Amino acid sequence: MKEIITYGSYAPSSHNAQMWTVEIPKNNEIKVYPNYDRVLPFVDPNNRETWISIGAFIENCVLSAQDLGYSSTVTINDVEIILNLQQDHNLVKTNRNIELIKKRLTIRKPYLEKKIDDTTITKLISPSDAILYFPIENKETKKIIDYSLNAYSFQMKDTSKLRELAKWMTFSYKEEKQRKDGITPEALEIKGIKRFLFNLFFTKKSVTGKTFIKSSIKSAREQLNSCSGYILITSDSYSKAELIKTGRLLERVWLECIHNQIAVHPMSQVLEEKEYYDLLKTSLKIDKEIQMLLRIGKVKEYPERIRKRLDIKDIITSCKLLPC
């Protein structure tokens, strides 16, 4: 059970805030809840991204349990998500899902200007008709890029959102070693001498300064224009069940990308700013709600990164059967 929950915690979350907590009331049951001490009230005031992150957590638990020989049933009610596990002797134990889960990470740097073949794209979007793909050469993709950059620049003017971002960033080697969450300079693709200078001169206060804002917008522009295309994941509504479903789809798409050596970078700013979100929906003629926007592409080398994750004892809030 602890192993399954650990792999669950490898799921993506906004600002790497890891906004989930679990209980284990029975030997074969995991109950998952939001950890409201770790949510993002400024960029995610309605907890939309929180529930999507929890959905990704659930999907990791389901897939890793499958590798370990357990089938899963997921039940969603008003107060909790219940994952019921049953040993299934018909399942062939493998490490395929677990190995992909362990490799998952966000790659923010510019990607290669290389088209992803149609067969691979079909695999990526096949799990659901809620998944759409827009290659970089499409005229609609220009709208995705433009509105995303406008939304990003708009957020850079919001001091509250910048301070929230700063809360989850690390600015020293000491803080980086101590924290088990948040965003490191390495995760932002700040390496070598740039990382040394970042740790030396930047503080949480610097995030609201002109230098950081200008540099961030420049990086966002480069990122948005250097990819193979964009994957959109939609839903019928903003209900908790639909958002959890989105999170599960997100993780399945992401793991399939890893299997095909494709880099992934969620870019949610345009979904967080209503003015630009509405413009994007209208320009793309999408009737459903857009819940995730993923920049994808090829890279020369798929990197490894030190994973910042909470300890299992920090995730499990009630251990009636397992010592913590």
Side-chain angles (χ1 to χ4, degrees):
M1 297 288 276
K2 286 184 178 181
E3 186 176 4
I4 289 167
I5 293 167
T6 297
Y7 292 132
S9 75
Y10 289 2
S13 59
S14 299
H15 295 0
N16 191 25
Q18 303 171 53
M19 53 281 280
W20 42 66
T21 186
V22 306
E23 292 181 357
I24 307 174
K26 302 177 183 177
N27 276 329
N28 64 331
E29 191 173 275
I30 299 170
K31 292 186 176 183
V32 186
Y33 308 87
N35 183 341
Y36 288 109
D37 292 331
R38 308 183 71 82
V39 297
L40 308 172
F42 292 102
V43 295
D44 188 30
N46 298 315
N47 292 318
R48 182 186 70 85
E49 294 173 26
T50 293
W51 289 113
I52 290 173
S53 296
I54 288 174
F57 177 96
I58 292 289
E59 186 65 13
N60 274 2
C61 289
V62 169
L63 293 174
S64 59
Q66 181 179 306
D67 277 9
L68 297 170
Y70 292 85
S71 58
S72 308
T73 303
V74 178
T75 304
I76 302 171
N77 59 41
D78 291 339
V79 295
E80 62 200 359
I81 305 102
I82 303 170
L83 183 65
N84 186 279
L85 305 171
Q86 297 292 335
Q87 192 168 18
D88 188 342
H89 296 291
N90 293 320
L91 289 174
V92 178
K93 292 185 179 181
T94 71
N95 282 319
R96 180 189 183 277
N97 294 324
I98 289 172
E99 288 305 310
L100 291 174
I101 288 168
K102 287 161 67 175
K103 291 177 182 177
R104 191 210 60 77
L105 77 166
T106 298
I107 302 177
R108 291 177 171 83
K109 64 184 179 182
Y111 302 156
L112 300 175
E113 294 181 6
K114 190 174 181 180
K115 182 179 179 180
I116 300 173
D117 64 89
D118 293 341
T119 301
T120 301
I121 292 298
T122 299
K123 288 180 181 178
L124 296 180
I125 67 174
S126 62
S128 170
D129 59 6
I131 306 169
L132 310 172
Y133 179 65
F134 292 84
I136 192 69
E137 63 270 16
N138 277 24
K139 63 179 182 179
E140 293 93 343
T141 308
K142 178 73 164 52
K143 296 295 184 182
I144 295 175
I145 294 170
D146 289 345
Y147 291 136
S148 292
L149 185 59
N150 288 340
Y152 191 95
S153 301
F154 183 79
Q155 281 198 358
M156 288 289 109
K157 298 175 185 176
D158 191 321
T159 303
S160 296
K161 292 176 182 178
L162 289 174
R163 286 175 178 165
E164 184 172 74
L165 172 63
K167 172 186 174 182
W168 293 97
M169 292 177 64
T170 59
F171 294 89
S172 70
Y173 291 105
K174 181 180 179 181
E175 185 182 16
E176 189 174 335
K177 287 181 180 179
Q178 290 175 340
R179 290 190 67 159
K180 302 167 187 175
D181 57 14
I183 307 167
T184 64
E186 182 187 25
L188 295 173
E189 309 290 348
I190 300 173
K191 301 178 181 179
I193 187 65
K194 289 184 178 180
R195 179 174 178 177
F196 174 77
L197 294 172
F198 180 89
N199 284 337
L200 189 63
F201 295 112
F202 276 77
T203 64
K204 293 188 184 298
K205 189 176 180 180
S206 303
V207 174
T208 58
K210 291 182 180 179
T211 300
F212 181 87
I213 292 170
K214 184 178 179 181
S215 174
S216 297
I217 293 173
K218 179 184 176 183
S219 294
R221 182 180 289 109
E222 292 173 350
Q223 292 164 350
L224 285 162
N225 285 284
S226 62
C227 63
S228 301
Y230 289 87
I231 286 178
L232 276 63
I233 303 179
T234 65
S235 71
D236 291 331
S237 71
Y238 287 100
S239 70
K240 180 170 72 173
E242 283 289 300
L243 294 175
I244 290 169
K245 178 182 175 182
T246 296
R248 296 189 65 180
L249 280 176
L250 165 66
E251 194 67 349
R252 289 176 66 183
V253 169
W254 205 323
L255 297 182
E256 187 62 36
C257 282
I258 294 169
H259 178 68
N260 289 278
Q261 292 287 293
I262 295 171
V264 177
H265 179 193
M267 303 196 80
S268 299
Q269 292 80 10
V270 72
L271 310 180
E272 296 164 349
E273 304 299 334
K274 188 176 187 312
E275 176 185 352
Y276 296 107
Y277 173 74
D278 290 342
L279 288 170
L280 181 63
K281 272 190 67 176
T282 300
S283 64
L284 297 182
K285 299 178 181 178
I286 294 177
D287 294 329
K288 294 186 177 183
E289 305 301 338
I290 306 170
Q291 302 294 4
M292 289 301 305
L293 174 64
L294 306 177
R295 168 179 163 258
I296 67 169
K298 293 284 190 176
V299 289
K300 288 183 179 179
E301 184 179 5
Y302 209 90
E304 292 184 12
R305 185 173 293 152
I306 298 172
R307 190 179 302 280
K308 290 286 181 181
R309 285 298 183 273
L310 298 174
D311 292 334
I312 190 74
K313 62 182 176 61
D314 299 318
I315 300 172
I316 301 176
T317 57
S318 178
C319 302
K320 298 178 180 177
L321 298 169
L322 301 179
C324 285

